[in-house]
Amino acid sequence: TNGDGAAAILKASSVKGDILPWRDTMHDGPFPQGLSLEKASALRAEYLSRQGLDEEEVRRGFELRDAHLKGAGKYEEVILWYEHDLLDQLQILQLLHWFNSVDRGKTKLSMVCINQFQGIIPFRGLGQLSPDQLATLHPERKTVSNEQLNLAAKGWAAFRNPNPQILAAFINSDLSALPFLKKALERHLEEYPSLQNGLNKTQNKILKFVKEGTRDPVENFKACLESETVFFQGDWSHFNGISRLCNGPKPLIKCNEGQKFNHPLDLPESLDEFRSQKLSLTERGEMVLENKTDAVELLEIDQWFGGVHLQYDSPIWRWDSEANKLVQTAPGHRS
């Protein structure tokens, strides 16, 4: 499962078996090509520790996760329990790529992957279901086909390629074997800096809602969630995004008249203290939101998108929302 939410519901249901949460915010941070599962996990642990998590705890979690995955051959069946959003679809790519590259013996590989559930509107994910509701999906699971395995292997390679045009070409190919993959990966491309002002889609939403008066960080997260057709980013990543906009040398958002924005990890005992932080736009933030200046250099962007590493002092791949395509620009220039 993706993380612990669905895993806890599955554990409480009538479905029997061992449960392995796949804990990784894969849309955020590096996934360069050419790394084994073990080396990729070590890199992810190091990256996530720089986002405020305990490195030793995260590293050990990845090691235990990977060891459990490598024991898949002892089971009669392995079932992937997922939904339609970007994070889940990336996890499906990584897992199916791995199963496509190993001999799993007689172990059957199946998948539950849905984008709706009767009576749940709007449907965001499996974490909304009760244990009894989740159990009804078990008989509906489908055997993973060779076509799905092969498509996932190609998609995983494209996601980790340092040239994002490879992923863009993959998105425009026939992805019908994994029916939710196309829209999810299209949303991934929208997280590249925009050609118009250098902010990605989520950052533009954060600034827009702050400008409109949604100054509470929790309410800002909720507003962004409600504005998305398929939301892929949890609150932890959202608050990391606010930190990047607020705590840099040239902030676009200010917190309580210039104070440092504290992530919930910095205030683990006090939700009230976290929510007492009120956000507002800086003058730079106003100018960026009005497309009068560019955020890439202001934020000194140094960010990974799978296998693509963007740095503000190098040529930058950007998302042109008007032409609906990626374009590459010179450092510090929008065109």
Side-chain angles (χ1 to χ4, degrees), residues 276-296:
S276 72
Q277 301 179 108
K278 301 304 176 188
L279 309 173
S280 58
L281 296 189
T282 64
E283 184 177 346
R284 292 188 189 95
E286 294 272 7
M287 292 181 67
V288 169
L289 200 55
E290 294 170 5
N291 297 346
K292 293 179 179 178
T293 191
D294 190 57
V296 164

Side-chain angles (χ1 to χ4, degrees), residues 2-209:
N2 169 14
D4 295 283
I9 299 170
L10 193 58
K11 187 175 182 179
S13 77
S14 59
V15 179
K16 303 301 180 184
D18 294 335
I19 301 168
L20 176 60
W22 203 253
R23 303 184 184 102
D24 194 358
T25 54
M26 294 173 56
H27 54 77
D28 185 359
F31 258 109
Q33 63 183 3
L35 297 184
S36 65
L37 178 67
E38 296 83 2
K39 289 183 178 179
S41 292
L43 179 64
R44 295 298 298 169
E46 190 275 332
Y47 173 77
L48 292 171
S49 70
R50 286 190 275 115
Q51 311 308 306
L53 300 179
D54 180 84
E55 182 173 4
E56 180 59 27
E57 183 179 335
V58 176
R59 182 189 62 80
R60 183 60 178 156
F62 273 106
E63 289 177 352
L64 292 171
R65 183 201 75 174
D66 294 348
H68 199 163
L69 178 66
K70 291 176 183 178
K74 72 179 182 181
Y75 294 98
E76 294 178 5
E77 183 177 9
V78 171
I79 309 171
L80 309 187
W81 292 76
Y82 283 100
E83 60 236 19
H84 56 316
D85 65 38
L86 173 61
L87 180 52
D88 282 51
Q89 294 300 303
L90 290 177
Q91 292 192 5
I92 287 170
L93 290 185
Q94 185 182 21
L95 286 164
L96 293 189
H97 158 76
W98 188 85
F99 279 111
N100 195 46
S101 64
V102 299
D103 180 6
R104 63 179 186 273
K106 296 181 179 181
T107 301
K108 181 181 178 182
L109 185 60
S110 307
M111 183 159 57
V112 170
C113 190
I114 61 172
N115 68 340
Q116 59 183 348
F117 192 93
Q118 186 175 2
I120 307 295
I121 301 174
F123 177 77
R124 300 290 185 187
L126 299 179
Q128 294 173 278
L129 306 184
S130 70
D132 288 343
Q133 288 173 322
L134 197 62
T136 65
L137 299 174
H138 186 252
E140 304 299 320
R141 67 195 186 280
K142 306 294 183 185
T143 300
V144 173
S145 68
N146 288 331
E147 184 181 7
Q148 288 175 319
L149 289 168
N150 292 331
L151 181 62
K154 292 177 182 176
W156 186 234
F159 177 70
R160 294 177 299 145
N161 195 289
N163 181 355
Q165 290 180 310
I166 302 299
L167 180 62
F170 173 77
I171 291 171
N172 288 324
S173 66
D174 181 8
L175 307 186
S176 56
L178 294 170
F180 308 129
L181 184 59
K182 185 179 182 68
K183 283 189 176 181
L185 292 178
E186 287 175 341
R187 183 63 184 86
H188 172 70
L189 296 185
E190 292 178 324
E191 286 300 283
Y192 277 77
S194 76
L195 186 64
Q196 285 68 38
N197 65 6
L199 294 176
N200 64 37
K201 186 172 183 177
T202 298
Q203 290 171 331
N204 269 301
K205 287 174 180 286
I206 291 172
L207 264 66
K208 171 179 174 287
F209 287 125

